[in-house]
Amino acid sequence: LRFHIVKFEDCQHSKAVGFESSDPNFSVRPDGSVYAEQEVANLSEPIQFMVTARGGHDPHIWETTVKLALFGHQPSVPVSQIGVADMIARAWDSNPRVIKFPRKHQKSSSANGLRRQKRDWVIPPINVPENSRGPFPQMLVRIRSDQDLEKGIRYSITGAGADQPPIDVYNIDPVHGKMFVTRPLDREERASYHLRAHAVDMNGNKVESPIDLYIYVIDMNDNRPEFQNQVYNGSVAEGSKPGTLVMKVTANDSDDDTTANGMVRYRILSQTPHMPIPNMFTINSETGDIFTMAAGLDREKVSQYIIIVQATDMEGNLNFGLSNTATALISVTDINDNPPELTARTFSGEVPENSVNVVVANLTVIDRDQPHSPNWAAQYRIASGDPQGHFLIRTNPVNNDGMVTVVKPVDYEQNRAFMLTVIVSNKAPLASGIQSSLQSSAGVTISVQDVNESPVFPTNPKSIRFEEGVPAGTTLTVFAAQDPDLFIQQTVRYSKLSDPANWLRINRTNGQITTMAVLDRESMYVRNNIYEATFLAADNGSPPASGTGTLQIHLIDVNDNAPVMMPKEAQLCERANPRSKVNITASDADADPHVGPFVFELPSYPPSIRRNWTISRISGDYAQLRLRIPYLDAEVYDVPIIVSDSGNPPLSNRSIIKVKVCPCDDNGDCTTTGAVAAAGLGTGAIIAILICIIILLILVLVFVMWMKRREKERQAKPLLIDPEDDVRDNILKYDEEGGGEEDQDYDLSQLQQPESVEHIISKPVGVRRVDERPIIAESQYPVRPSLPHPGDIGDFINDGLRAADNDPTAPPYDSLLVFDYEGSGSTAGSVSSLNSSSSGDQDYDYLNDWGPRFKKLADLYGGGEDD
């Protein structure tokens, strides 16, 4: 039970000095909590004692009576050093508490006769336990005015819980001033209420000033502690020392945390598994922090612990407190406390020589740390035995094995075996205090296998220098290869693999290179003065091996190409002027110094060349050709020019340039007539060309007119064949079998070509018969032309088809025709009545008169008895 401290009005020392209890079995703490100091053996009857509160500098003493009783009629329960709030929900003073309206007292002053108000006590709050079982309404206090003896007083209360939400929690007897609570209260829903009490007379006039009533709901232990999570996850490193913080669990109690009802305490109920001891962890009872209690955490033995934690209120009292549980999963994290260990002291493997990126040995290792973690991942190092770095050990990420791999080719002729010393370690360093294992190193023996190696050209590519133009059969060099297989006697043979210009030949036995043609530096197969050829050297081993070598011939240039002049044709005005000139350039396929500067000159013969023309050099590669005389007839002239290079000795070339001399306009450009004239055509030639063009046009016109006339004649004349023999739109009559049965009733004239369309226009609309030709105007079919034409047949068929599609009188008369009806009453008997006779009295000689088609039949049946 907790009492609220009485407060003084206008006093600095408002707190009480202390509480005193009249019963030595119970004590009252400074905060007002009542505790049992010793075990209460029997609570079958209520216990009643007095509690006194003394003020600091005020002589007043406040007292109240405490009555303790059990809920219901439960037997006595031992209590020791605990709060008894849960047991006094019905501990009420038998005489209800009376609260009076304060009175104002006036006291005269000695000097001026002033009065001062006497200090009154503040009305203490009203304490109501939550979850009271009633009966309701339950009286709390009585409000009383000192004037109720003089006049009739009416009492009322206002505020939250009375006339404000929540409404009607409290009410008051207006006549007697008794205040009631109408239903059980819940402190977790509302912990206090502030009401105001009023007193008025029968007329509603205020008799007393309103007083404030503070109602506090006393907490009961009606809520269990609730964990924030049902499952907590924590971790701790293996090998941790005792006292290492692992994790924290938290439980909340909705009850008042300033009382024992809301004070939660924690404890560990169980630990699974019980290794290495059952109490590997402990918990702080007040904070919920879980610590390691003992050493010996080993992930390789136990990787996870399951801890059941209990939270109990009432400061952990199991007799009266409410409890709840949660699960804590503690994972033991890995540290590198297990060094990797090789499974064997020695390993072996073999590798063919000259192999690269081949796994030659597999090293197996054991590590008991967490798989696929840095503490488990192994890394290998070759400590000795491979000074040139032929091998590298890669780690298999799946199983942590070491794969000894060849990264640099090995040569059997130099090393037949390797003895390696390998050391294995983890990527993560070992934990403090952990030493490396003796099994962390091993020896690896690698045997090298001999294979047939390819012949090798010592110098590849091999470069030589020769002047171009060396004759065929010249020996250039010896391009020989060496066989690396020193312990095997083998023969090497040579062949040509690539020779783009087919200039070279190689001796099959000794590799001597000779020429088969003249080497030309200016050939299209020479790049940057270098000609390349590839040769093959093969041994006779098993299996045979071959190697290639490249020969690079650097061709030294000689002056073997005369310069070439450009352009080959030019054009000049017939009258000399500064703008009338021909720019000439020269080029040479040779290289420096066998090229420019070039020398341009005109030959001395014939003399007219130098008399009519002049040439002058502009630069080393350019020159200009001009007229020497003021005027030259329009014509095409062949002007020879001699161009010489700067080689030693120099080479010259006589080139002809065709110069068209023509009349020019004011801008110096040749006119059209002048250009034609300059092309070498005279007036007679031009007239002849024009006459030929006119004759050609006349011939084309005559041919077109003849074709049109022929088309008209073809349309005017009939076909050259007899209409009776025209098979394009007629039914051919091959034979007539006679009128049997009712075939005579059909009108075959309907199958003939129509001749007019008049009845088609005058035909009235009506129902047609399916076996009768409609009496309407027939369509006009196209008339065949008189003259045959290649397209006559096709056009005629298309026109006839188009007319037949649009002719309603054409069979089958736009209706359904029955073709399987043969009529009735046939004079012929049943076909089944026909039979063959073997009497031989039938005469088949008449078959001979039927023509050649029946000759075979006549031979079969008309042969007589001899046949």
Side-chain angles (χ1 to χ4, degrees):
L1 176 66
R2 170 172 291 180
F3 293 95
H4 289 274
I5 301 173
V6 179
K7 295 183 180 179
F8 296 94
E9 188 178 278
D10 299 331
C11 180
Q12 293 180 355
H13 304 281
S14 60
K15 289 187 177 181
V17 173
F19 297 95
E20 295 181 0
S21 172
S22 60
D23 191 335
N25 294 325
F26 299 93
S27 64
V28 184
R29 303 289 172 86
D31 62 351
S33 300
V34 179
Y35 284 82
E37 295 297 336
Q38 61 184 2
E39 182 177 343
V40 181
N42 188 2
L43 287 180
S44 60
E45 295 181 358
I47 298 177
Q48 183 173 327
F49 58 92
M50 184 70 68
V51 176
T52 302
R54 298 181 180 274
H57 298 283
D58 197 286
H60 292 82
I61 297 176
W62 289 79
E63 296 180 348
T64 185
T65 302
V66 177
K67 183 184 293 184
L68 302 180
L70 287 174
F71 295 128
H73 297 284
Q74 300 178 8
S76 59
V77 179
V79 182
S80 177
Q81 292 297 329
I82 61 172
V84 295
D86 288 343
M87 303 175 61
I88 59 173
R90 294 186 178 181
W92 299 99
D93 193 345
S94 58
N95 296 322
R97 179 180 173 186
V98 178
I99 298 178
K100 292 184 178 182
F101 285 92
R103 295 180 59 86
K104 297 181 180 180
H105 303 278
Q106 303 294 332
K107 185 175 181 180
S108 300
S109 175
S110 60
N112 49 17
L114 297 178
R115 293 180 179 270
R116 70 177 180 89
Q117 182 178 349
K118 183 180 179 180
R119 182 175 58 189
D120 288 315
W121 287 100
V122 176
I123 299 175
I126 303 170
N127 297 317
V128 181
E130 67 173 335
N131 302 324
S132 176
R133 300 184 181 180
F136 295 100
Q138 188 175 29
M139 182 177 174
L140 298 179
V141 294
R142 180 184 176 189
I143 308 299
R144 181 173 176 269
S145 173
D146 292 340
Q147 302 183 32
D148 59 355
L149 300 178
E150 302 174 359
K151 60 180 74 173
I153 303 298
R154 294 293 181 264
Y155 302 96
S156 63
I157 56 176
T158 59
D163 59 347
Q164 299 177 13
I167 300 175
D168 294 336
V169 176
Y170 303 95
N171 59 27
I172 190 171
D173 185 349
V175 177
H176 300 94
K178 295 180 179 180
M179 182 177 172
F180 300 90
V181 59
T182 62
R183 56 175 179 254
L185 302 180
D186 187 356
R187 190 202 68 85
E188 287 72 38
E189 181 179 345
R190 191 181 183 100
S192 63
Y193 297 86
H194 180 203
L195 303 177
R196 293 177 67 87
H198 305 272
V200 297
D201 58 15
M202 301 301 293
N203 296 324
N205 298 319
K206 183 173 68 172
V207 178
E208 300 283 356
S209 297
I211 60 174
D212 293 321
L213 301 177
Y214 292 94
I215 302 175
Y216 294 99
V217 183
I218 300 176
D219 182 46
M220 296 295 178
N221 191 19
D222 58 345
N223 291 279
R224 293 180 180 273
E226 295 291 341
F227 283 94
Q228 294 180 354
N229 301 300
Q230 279 301 77
V231 178
Y232 289 84
N233 292 283
S235 62
V236 61
E238 61 176 334
S240 297
K241 297 180 180 180
T244 302
L245 177 63
V246 179
M247 59 187 301
K248 180 176 183 179
V249 296
T250 304
N252 299 320
D253 198 315
S254 299
D255 292 325
D256 189 359
D257 57 359
T258 62
T259 66
N261 298 335
M263 295 180 181
V264 180
R265 298 295 182 264
Y266 304 91
R267 72 190 188 101
I268 294 177
L269 294 182
S270 65
Q271 168 192 307
T272 304
H274 296 172
M275 294 178 59
I277 60 174
N279 300 322
M280 289 296 296
F281 302 94
T282 184
I283 189 171
N284 187 308
S285 61
E286 295 184 0
T287 62
D289 294 329
I290 298 178
F291 299 89
T292 57
M293 187 175 180
L297 290 174
D298 191 350
R299 190 205 64 83
E300 287 72 37
K301 296 180 179 179
V302 179
S303 61
Q304 187 182 65
Y305 289 90
I306 302 176
I307 306 296
I308 305 300
V309 180
Q310 183 185 56
T312 306
D313 57 14
M314 296 300 294
E315 295 183 301
N317 186 277
L318 299 178
N319 294 326
F320 298 99
L322 302 178
S323 301
N324 211 339
T325 60
T327 302
L329 301 179
I330 302 177
S331 300
V332 182
T333 58
D334 184 49
I335 63 172
N336 194 11
D337 58 344
N338 293 281
E341 297 178 353
L342 292 166
T343 59
R345 297 295 298 170
T346 59
F347 296 87
S348 62
E350 56 184 18
V351 56
E353 63 174 335
N354 300 322
S355 298
V356 180
N357 294 328
V358 177
V359 177
V360 298
N362 196 60
L363 311 181
T364 55
V365 69
I366 296 176
D367 196 316
R368 292 183 293 273
D369 289 321
Q370 179 70 36
H372 305 288
S373 68
N375 300 329
W376 172 84
Q379 54 186 8
Y380 300 85
R381 179 174 58 89
I382 299 176
S384 61
D386 185 22
Q388 296 180 353
H390 291 283
F391 302 95
L392 178 68
I393 304 179
R394 297 185 175 96
T395 303
N396 189 325
V398 177
N399 53 20
N400 218 21
D401 290 349
M403 300 178 294
V404 182
T405 308
V406 181
V407 295
K408 189 176 180 180
V410 294
D411 191 356
Y412 175 82
E413 285 71 27
Q414 295 181 1
N415 293 295
R416 298 187 181 185
F418 292 87
M419 302 294 296
L420 308 180
T421 300
V422 178
I423 298 177
V424 62
S425 60
N426 291 125
K427 291 184 178 180
L430 291 174
S432 177
I434 304 299
Q435 300 296 327
S436 298
S437 173
L438 295 177
Q439 297 179 354
S440 296
S441 62
V444 181
T445 302
I446 306 297
S447 301
V448 182
Q449 297 176 339
D450 187 22
V451 297
N452 185 26
E453 299 179 78
S454 302
V456 179
F457 289 90
T459 305
N460 191 13
K462 182 177 182 179
S463 297
I464 59 175
R465 298 176 64 89
F466 265 88
E467 285 188 353
E468 64 172 331
V470 294
T474 303
T475 300
L476 300 182
T477 184
V478 176
F479 197 24
Q482 299 176 356
D483 193 344
D485 298 314
L486 302 179
F487 303 101
I488 303 176
Q489 295 297 327
Q490 297 180 139
T491 303
V492 179
R493 292 292 181 263
Y494 301 92
S495 62
K496 186 168 60 174
L497 188 64
S498 173
D499 183 11
N502 199 23
W503 288 344
L504 306 177
R505 179 189 297 112
I506 186 169
N507 189 294
R508 288 183 53 83
T509 58
N510 59 12
Q512 179 175 303
I513 307 295
T514 58
T515 61
M516 295 191 304
V518 178
L519 305 183
D520 185 7
R521 189 196 67 86
E522 290 75 30
S523 172
M524 60 181 296
Y525 302 106
V526 178
R527 298 289 184 270
N528 298 324
N529 301 328
I530 297 176
Y531 179 75
E532 286 189 356
T534 306
F535 298 92
L536 183 70
D539 60 19
N540 59 349
S542 179
S546 61
T548 59
T550 301
L551 178 65
Q552 295 180 342
I553 304 174
H554 190 282
L555 296 177
I556 302 172
D557 184 43
V558 297
N559 193 16
D560 57 346
N561 291 277
V564 178
M565 184 189 69
M566 294 295 292
K568 299 298 182 181
E569 295 181 355
Q571 186 173 283
L572 278 178
C573 293
E574 59 185 359
R575 298 188 181 277
N577 59 74
R579 292 181 297 177
S580 181
K581 58 187 176 181
V582 176
N583 292 323
I584 300 173
T585 180
S587 60
D588 197 321
D590 292 324
D592 223 11
H594 305 300
V595 290
F598 299 100
V599 177
F600 302 88
E601 58 182 349
L602 297 175
S604 58
Y605 183 85
S608 60
I609 299 300
R610 291 192 175 185
R611 184 175 60 249
N612 297 334
W613 307 91
T614 181
I615 190 170
S616 59
R617 191 175 72 176
I618 300 176
S619 63
D621 299 336
Y622 299 95
Q624 286 184 348
L625 179 66
R626 298 174 179 270
L627 285 175
R628 179 183 292 272
I629 59 179
Y631 175 82
L632 188 64
D633 292 337
E635 193 176 339
V636 176
Y637 297 89
D638 291 337
V639 181
I641 298 177
I642 299 174
V643 182
S644 303
D645 57 21
S646 299
N648 187 16
L651 292 181
S652 300
N653 182 23
R654 180 186 176 97
S655 301
I656 302 297
I657 179 173
K658 290 183 176 295
V659 181
K660 300 178 182 180
V661 179
C662 60
C664 296
D665 54 16
D666 297 337
N667 296 325
D669 300 326
C670 282
T671 60
T672 304
T673 305
V676 174
L681 298 179
T683 305
I686 296 175
I687 294 175
I689 293 174
L690 293 177
I691 292 174
C692 291
I693 294 175
I694 293 174
I695 293 174
L696 181 61
L697 292 177
I698 293 174
L699 291 177
V700 172
L701 182 60
V702 170
F703 178 76
V704 171
M705 293 177 63
W706 178 80
M707 288 296 296
K708 288 185 174 294
R709 180 178 178 183
R710 182 174 176 272
E711 180 69 20
K712 291 180 180 180
E713 292 176 353
R714 185 180 64 82
Q715 295 178 359
K717 293 182 179 180
L719 291 174
L720 298 180
I721 61 177
D722 189 0
E724 291 295 334
D725 298 330
D726 187 7
V727 298
R728 289 176 295 178
D729 195 26
N730 293 289
I731 296 178
L732 297 181
K733 182 178 179 181
Y734 292 100
D735 202 355
E736 182 71 29
E737 295 185 0
E741 303 176 356
E742 292 183 357
D743 295 340
Q744 302 286 338
D745 296 337
Y746 292 102
D747 185 8
L748 299 179
S749 63
Q750 302 298 326
L751 301 178
Q752 301 299 324
Q753 178 177 340
E755 299 177 356
S756 65
V757 295
E758 296 178 358
H759 62 283
I760 297 178
I761 303 174
S762 61
K763 177 71 171 76
V765 179
V767 181
R768 300 176 187 165
R769 292 179 55 183
V770 298
D771 58 349
E772 182 180 283
R773 181 180 184 180
I775 306 176
I776 60 175
E778 298 179 352
S779 298
Q780 181 65 39
Y781 287 85
V783 179
R784 290 187 288 270
S786 301
L787 296 176
H789 189 269
D792 177 69
I793 301 299
D795 295 341
F796 183 81
I797 292 176
N798 292 331
D799 294 340
L801 178 61
R802 194 179 304 108
D805 291 339
N806 299 324
D807 186 7
T809 65
Y813 310 136
D814 198 21
S815 60
L816 179 64
L817 297 180
V818 181
F819 293 96
D820 60 349
Y821 180 70
E822 298 183 357
S824 61
S826 176
T827 58
S830 175
V831 179
S832 63
S833 63
L834 300 177
N835 55 12
S836 61
S837 175
S838 60
S839 61
D841 55 356
Q842 179 72 29
D843 186 10
Y844 295 101
D845 292 338
Y846 62 87
L847 295 177
N848 295 321
D849 301 332
W850 287 8
R853 296 184 181 180
F854 295 91
K855 185 178 184 303
K856 186 65 175 177
L857 189 62
D859 293 340
L860 293 175
Y861 291 92
E865 297 294 338
D866 295 337
D867 296 338

